[in-house]
Amino acid sequence: MVRRATIVGSGPNGLAAAVSLARAGYRVEVLEAAESIGGGVRTGELTVPGYHHDVGSAVHPAALSSPFFRAFGLRERIEWIVPDIAYAHPLDGGRAAVAWRDLDRTAAGLGRDGGAWRRLVGHPSRHLDAVVEFTGSQLLRVPRHPVVAARFGLRVLRSGTSLGRRTFHGEGAAALLTGVLAHANTALPSLAAAGSGLFLAAHAHSGDGWAYPRGGAQRIADALVADLHAHGGRIETGRRVRRLGDLDWGDPDAGDLLMLDTTPRLLLTHPDLPGSYARAIGRYRYGAAAAKVDFALDGPVPWAHADLARSPTVHIGGTRAEIEAAENAVAAGRLAERPYALVVQPGVLDDSRAPGDGQTLWAYIHVPSGSTLDPTDVVTRQLERFAPGFRDRIVASSAMTAAERPQFNPADIGGDILGGAFTIRQAVVRPVLSRTPWRTPLRGVYLASASTPPGPGVTGMPGWYAARQALADLSGVHVELEDLFPG
């Protein structure tokens, strides 16, 4: 008898689990609440016809280094753009710090801080696969490359404390690092932000840089869905699962599986969930939120510094002190007057995003959980600061507040797009303290979302780990990626 696997959620993690189980011989069905598949990797015409915006994530620094996506062959299935500039950071007065894919060129541009930058990120970028192995799973284990892990940890300890202020002398390098640390949407400095930021900075100087798919993030979901269909799987959109107890997903005694690419809170709707586990899920915290705006522009952004016109990703927020003040305000539950903004302009290297000379620009700021702030005006002001005349380029815009995000994705609790507060504790307790956090106490039910290790990012790894754990629980044999994705 063919076993069934039901996947709730069609984000990259849910689809990774779906593809893995379909290749393992399961009859797979994916249930997606939205009318389109992809979760955080969707692309749509959010402003005006012909302008293609990434609805969720846009640039994917860790996708091409992901062991799952490498085995899946994602690089070969879709066309990737690998920019010469991974990210850039403008400063007042027409200045900017630039993270080139070439580490030496980056160091040269940072002047007297170039050597310190090379010492900070050079080793992890040269040993990126070992860093990915160490950070890319749950942390309650002995790393395969302990020396690399130890050296990475020492850099995190320095960058995540006040000692980090002694690393650089000038504004450029300090801002360039702080801009990438701020992705963690938590108080600064912090060890959690330093861990994620150094991981991202190391990717900036790898061979794959901060890559993104030509045509939009939707291409990632489409590639996964094509493989799922090729192995007999199916998807039902417009199907929101509100209560697990009402879902007929099969017979766990017969080996049927339920994979949840969702918030762990959905487990609380099951009547048989043990109280101790329910209490642990109740203690799992969600963090500050993101408010996003998409702009359709009639031409390129008029950056004051020329190199910014070549960088798909731009971190806006000024100096290290300004960014830290803005992020710490949000962490304390307040709106920042001059917030940090993560900006992506994919059209600088991808002419498929808009007609003619048009450009799309994607930006989000960090805000307190549940905020109703429309970010359009504050993002526009920050962009005008470093690109005078930006406002005159705007054809149309579309905003999503933090309060509205759960309507787009029910897993974005309060607008938290990271699957849970990004803290050191929750790097280990994600969402519970366990060597197998993807397994739940409910037989046949597994978590496969960013609320499980290795956490947020478009890697597919939480979905793969959940599927591998389920297969091991059923057979007693650990299936490896090469078993399902030969060649």
Side-chain angles (χ1 to χ4, degrees):
M1 184 174 67
V2 177
R3 291 170 171 170
R4 294 171 53 191
T6 302
I7 319 294
V8 181
S10 73
N13 294 318
L15 291 175
V19 165
S20 299
L21 293 172
R23 283 173 169 254
Y26 276 76
R27 186 171 76 248
V28 175
E29 180 179 33
V30 179
L31 306 179
E32 169 55 50
E35 295 300 328
S36 60
I37 56 96
V41 288
R42 280 186 264 173
T43 304
E45 295 179 326
L46 302 181
T47 54
V48 293
Y51 284 79
H52 301 281
H53 304 269
D54 289 316
V55 180
S57 60
V59 172
H60 315 289
L64 294 181
S65 70
S66 158
F68 173 80
F69 281 137
R70 283 185 173 180
F72 179 72
L74 188 62
R75 179 196 300 272
E76 293 74 31
R77 292 171 185 257
I78 60 178
E79 183 180 356
W80 287 85
I81 295 171
V82 182
D84 288 334
I85 298 177
Y87 59 93
H89 194 113
L91 293 163
D92 290 320
R95 298 170 297 145
V98 178
W100 296 89
R101 188 152 41 108
D102 183 330
L103 177 59
D104 291 336
R105 187 172 183 180
T106 302
L110 295 175
R112 61 177 177 164
D113 285 326
W117 185 270
R118 187 184 284 107
R119 288 189 295 274
L120 180 67
V121 301
H123 186 268
S125 67
R126 289 192 303 272
H127 299 274
L128 188 61
D129 286 348
V131 171
V132 169
E133 189 281 330
F134 165 55
T135 61
S137 184
Q138 58 91 9
L139 300 180
L140 296 176
R141 62 194 174 92
V142 177
R144 190 176 303 165
H145 306 280
V147 174
V148 173
R151 294 184 68 169
F152 185 80
L154 289 173
R155 286 164 169 77
V156 169
L157 285 172
R158 183 175 182 88
S159 301
T161 64
S162 58
L163 290 173
R165 302 188 190 287
R166 305 175 188 174
T167 302
F168 303 118
H169 301 285
E171 285 187 345
L176 194 65
L177 178 63
T178 308
V180 76
L181 300 187
H183 280 237
N185 197 0
T186 191
L188 295 176
S190 77
L191 294 177
S196 68
L198 288 176
F199 175 82
L200 293 172
H203 277 78
H205 304 300
S206 73
D208 293 326
W210 280 24
Y212 61 105
R214 183 176 297 278
Q218 185 73 48
R219 300 292 187 269
I220 297 173
D222 291 345
L224 288 162
V225 168
D227 194 84
L228 176 63
H229 286 162
H231 290 86
R234 61 181 296 270
I235 297 177
E236 182 181 351
T237 58
R239 177 79 182 278
R240 176 163 294 192
V241 176
R242 300 183 186 277
R243 294 182 54 84
L244 290 185
D246 298 336
L247 181 64
D248 178 15
W249 55 273
D251 180 4
D253 292 331
D256 292 340
L257 298 172
L258 177 62
M259 298 274 157
L260 304 177
D261 182 10
T262 68
T263 168
R265 289 184 180 180
L266 187 60
L267 288 162
L268 299 176
T269 67
H270 198 288
D272 298 328
L273 190 70
S276 59
Y277 189 86
R279 288 189 292 274
I281 293 298
R283 290 192 294 269
Y284 184 70
R285 293 194 303 108
Y286 291 84
K292 177 173 176 281
V293 58
D294 289 278
F295 292 101
L297 308 176
D298 64 8
V301 177
W303 297 108
H305 191 286
D307 283 340
L308 273 64
R310 304 170 58 187
S311 180
T313 302
V314 182
H315 299 145
I316 298 228
T319 65
R320 172 172 60 191
E322 288 180 278
I323 296 171
E324 287 184 350
E327 292 300 281
N328 290 336
V330 173
R334 305 189 306 273
L335 291 168
E337 183 177 348
R338 300 178 86 180
Y340 162 84
L342 198 161
V343 173
V344 177
Q345 44 180 6
V348 298
L349 298 177
D350 182 1
D351 59 9
S352 72
R353 299 301 186 97
D357 294 330
Q359 295 277 326
T360 62
L361 187 140
W362 170 111
Y364 74 68
I365 61 171
H366 295 148
V367 295
S369 177
S371 169
T372 58
L373 174 73
D374 182 323
T376 305
D377 286 343
V378 69
V379 169
T380 301
R381 289 198 299 272
Q382 283 288 66
L383 283 162
E384 279 281 338
R385 176 182 172 188
F386 302 106
F390 168 78
R391 191 185 304 272
D392 297 332
R393 291 288 195 191
I394 299 173
V395 175
S397 65
S398 173
M400 181 182 294
T401 69
E404 293 169 335
R405 287 206 68 86
Q407 300 171 31
F408 157 69
N409 185 348
D412 292 348
I413 304 297
D416 177 356
I417 62 175
L418 300 180
F422 210 75
T423 64
I424 283 294
R425 179 183 185 276
Q426 290 198 172
V428 179
V429 183
R430 196 166 186 93
V432 296
L433 184 64
S434 171
R435 290 180 61 85
T436 56
W438 309 277
R439 181 199 291 143
T440 79
L442 300 172
R443 189 175 182 188
V445 181
Y446 295 80
L447 278 171
S449 71
S451 297
T452 64
V458 179
T459 66
M461 293 302 291
W464 158 245
Y465 285 137
R468 185 179 70 171
Q469 186 66 57
L471 293 172
D473 289 345
L474 287 169
S475 67
V477 177
H478 276 283
V479 176
E480 300 301 334
L481 281 165
E482 55 266 27
D483 297 326
L484 299 181
F485 303 93

